[in-house]
């Protein structure tokens, strides 16, 4: 295990906790995480944007997900997505 793995794991945990508390990762939350952990803000942003589990805007009242895989595309998901 590299020396970078454990700090990254703790950073991900902190990002997950912040998202759980606010429903998304605000700029302010990421700056607080940077200050508390000593990890540069650019690295916090880089880790957060690498994983698709994190969102950067408050969630809406309803969530709509559209499959964009090949099978879904062949069945017309692009039309649904356009709407």
């Amino acid at each position: 295990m590299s020396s970078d793995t454990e700090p990254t794991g703790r950073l991900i945990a902190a990002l997950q906790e912040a998202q759980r508390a606010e429903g998304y990762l605000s700029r302010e939350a990421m700056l607080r995480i940077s200050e508390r952990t000593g990890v540069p803000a650019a690295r916090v942003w880089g880790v957060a944007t690498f994983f698709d589990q994190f969102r950067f805007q408050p969630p809406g009242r309803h969530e709509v997900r559209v499959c964009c895989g090949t099978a879904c595309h062949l069945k017309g998901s692009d039309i649904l997505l356009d709407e």
Side-chain angles (χ1 to χ4, degrees):
M1 185 182 285
S2 74
S3 61
D4 192 42
T5 303
E6 183 59 30
T8 301
R10 283 185 276 181
L11 178 56
I12 292 169
L15 291 166
Q16 289 170 331
E17 181 58 35
Q19 180 166 283
R20 236 185 324 274
E22 295 183 25
Y24 73 107
L25 286 176
S26 66
R27 180 177 188 273
E28 295 76 18
M30 288 189 281
L31 288 173
R32 277 194 310 271
I33 290 169
S34 173
E35 290 171 3
R36 289 180 184 162
T37 62
V39 175
R43 176 144 170 78
V44 173
W45 174 256
V47 170
T49 57
F50 181 79
F51 295 99
D52 67 355
Q53 67 177 298
F54 298 115
R55 60 176 87 87
F56 305 100
Q57 297 180 1
R61 194 166 25 156
H62 303 286
E63 180 177 326
V64 177
R65 292 184 183 213
V66 178
C67 170
C68 294
T70 303
C72 297
H73 179 76
L74 291 174
K75 290 190 173 215
S77 66
D78 56 330
I79 297 167
L80 179 61
L81 191 57
D82 287 342
E83 290 300 319

